[in-house]
Amino acid sequence: MSMTIESAPQVDVERIHEALEYYAAQEWTDGLPVVPVTESYLADFLAATDREPDEVLFHIPHLNRSLTVRLALINAALAGCRPEYGPVVIAAWESIAKEPHPARGIWQSTTGTAPFLVVNGPIREEIGLNSQGNIYGSGFRANATIGRAIRLACINVFGLHPHKLDQATQGTPAKYSACIGENEEQSPWAPFHVDNGFDASDSTVTAYVIRSVMHIEARHTMEPEQLAEDFADSIRRTGALIHEYTSALLVLVPEHAAVFADAGWSKEDVRQAVFSRVVRSRADLAAVGKDAISRKSRWRLSADHPDSMPDTTSGTDSPDVVPLLSAPTSIQIIVAGANNAGVSSVVEIFTLNPPRLHPYSISRIGARS
């Protein structure tokens, strides 16, 4: 397809460039250009929701800063959202508000965390939100701009600029945008939101705090036990965050979900199989200096460290085997991606300790909290 600009609407390019440079000078961007926003354009976003503009969606106490509906929608417009995406952005912020970690400053951490959204229900088709291929990549306006709306508000409302309040050592590409849909149509199981008490006709957003996404290359097997071991081995690597909050979201492609389902495995069976395998020997942990626990932070460190306390955690069969997840509910499962190869992923996330059976960070789109 050739790319031509002759037939594009004629605009005052000089004024557009002037606006873009002004927004950049105000540090209202994530490094990429943003869409200029006027009051008349913002009115279209406000008209797409029945929420009051001054309603507070999220507050960070130690920063003494609050995000209102109006501010959330301004940043949605800046991000390039369409007005009809606004209710999804609002629900995403309501889900974020249910997470314990963002309000405590996790987004400012050196660990480089970022918001990560999973969308379920009919809204995916209504707004063209991608769930069936290249889910972490480019090409779909709804995914890209809804995730970006959250990041821009983090910057513009809460002041989370890199090198300033955002102290990420390396960060993650999810700091630009991270929003995917569940591929409900090609899943052998009930959708994630139905598992958690919502109707199939409901549309929801679940918010997570993400650290990384690891791709699992497993085109070689049709054995569910082998596949479970591949996932477990990725989660239990010694370079991972090994902490009482350590959790994992398994994002299975339809092929991998079918391997489990065709063998008669439910999501709970997958969860239990992976959980039982996410263990390390004490010798493995000692070899990397993670054989004890910090009294203050609960992070793993060497037994020789002055802040260390003995690790009394043990597996059910052997005192020399250490489980690295605190409960099976530390593992959550969705199906997303194309039905064209055996490549799934593990999303490293934070949850509460002990993890709850049902996600506490899920909100229905269009509902009031």
Side-chain angles (χ1 to χ4, degrees):
M1 182 180 70
S2 61
M3 183 177 180
T4 61
I5 60 173
E6 288 82 1
S7 60
Q10 296 301 302
V11 296
D12 189 336
V13 174
E14 300 287 335
R15 293 292 288 169
I16 291 176
H17 287 172
E18 181 182 341
L20 294 180
E21 292 303 322
Y22 176 83
Y23 282 63
Q26 303 305 309
E27 297 187 319
W28 291 347
T29 85
D30 51 8
L32 296 172
V34 294
V35 175
V37 180
T38 61
E39 284 293 337
S40 60
Y41 186 49
L42 179 62
D44 293 338
F45 285 79
L46 292 170
T49 177
D50 62 356
R51 310 297 281 269
E52 293 298 324
D54 60 353
E55 179 185 349
V56 173
L57 297 173
F58 183 55
H59 177 69
I60 298 183
H62 69 276
L63 296 178
N64 195 28
R65 299 183 184 186
S66 297
L67 176 93
T68 62
V69 168
R70 176 183 170 86
L71 289 171
L73 294 180
I74 288 174
N75 283 279
L78 286 171
C81 287
R82 294 181 182 272
E84 56 266 34
Y85 304 172
V88 183
V89 173
I90 290 171
W93 278 112
E94 291 177 323
S95 295
I96 288 168
K98 297 176 184 178
E99 282 271 3
H101 304 294
R104 298 175 185 169
I106 193 67
W107 291 340
Q108 297 173 247
S109 171
T110 56
T111 55
T113 59
F116 180 84
L117 309 177
V118 177
V119 180
N120 277 96
I123 193 70
R124 296 168 303 125
E125 291 296 320
E126 294 170 12
I127 64 173
L129 193 137
N130 179 35
S131 64
Q132 296 189 2
N134 199 37
I135 54 173
Y136 301 120
S138 60
F140 295 85
R141 181 172 177 177
N143 300 63
T145 60
I146 290 170
R148 190 188 186 201
I150 306 301
R151 169 54 45 194
L152 287 177
C154 287
I155 294 170
N156 296 326
V157 178
F158 297 110
L160 302 185
H161 295 273
H163 300 186
K164 297 178 183 178
L165 289 182
D166 183 346
Q167 286 293 302
T169 303
Q170 290 191 324
T172 165
K175 281 182 175 287
Y176 276 106
S177 177
C179 175
I180 68 173
E182 180 166 20
N183 187 346
E184 301 175 19
E185 292 72 20
Q186 294 181 304
S187 172
W189 301 305
F192 184 82
H193 67 313
V194 173
D195 286 342
N196 291 285
F198 293 87
D199 293 334
S201 59
D202 290 331
S203 292
T204 65
V205 182
T206 305
Y208 296 99
V209 173
I210 182 182
R211 293 191 77 235
S212 67
V213 175
M214 296 175 286
H215 283 77
I216 312 303
E217 186 81 18
R219 308 172 194 237
H220 65 291
T221 183
M222 297 298 290
E223 299 295 328
E225 292 83 4
Q226 293 179 350
L227 192 54
E229 175 63 22
D230 246 359
F231 282 104
D233 187 61
S234 300
I235 298 169
R236 70 182 178 230
R237 72 196 195 284
T238 60
L241 170 70
I242 304 176
H243 189 278
E244 59 187 353
Y245 293 145
T246 301
S247 301
L249 174 65
L250 306 188
V251 182
L252 305 180
V253 290
E255 284 91 341
H256 285 163
V259 168
F260 291 125
D262 290 348
W265 288 29
S266 66
K267 285 185 188 178
E268 184 58 28
D269 293 329
V270 177
R271 193 190 329 271
Q272 292 287 344
V274 174
F275 173 75
S276 68
R277 290 167 168 81
V278 182
V279 298
R280 294 302 294 245
S281 71
R282 293 192 185 279
D284 287 344
L285 295 174
V288 295
K290 293 183 177 180
D291 49 325
I293 297 174
S294 167
R295 288 185 177 87
K296 296 178 182 177
S297 69
R298 308 293 295 174
W299 292 71
R300 284 195 168 270
L301 40 67
S302 170
D304 297 330
H305 194 283
D307 182 43
S308 70
M309 59 184 289
D311 176 19
T312 59
T313 307
S314 66
T316 56
D317 298 326
S318 171
D320 294 325
V321 174
V322 181
L324 303 184
L325 299 177
S326 56
T329 48
S330 297
I331 300 171
Q332 296 179 26
I333 301 168
I334 66 169
V335 175
N339 193 34
N340 60 9
V343 182
S344 290
S345 56
V346 171
V347 182
E348 187 181 24
I349 57 174
F350 282 62
T351 58
L352 281 176
N353 182 46
R356 302 176 186 175
L357 179 60
H358 299 298
Y360 44 83
S361 54
I362 185 168
S363 296
R364 184 162 67 87
I365 296 168
R368 291 181 178 273
S369 296

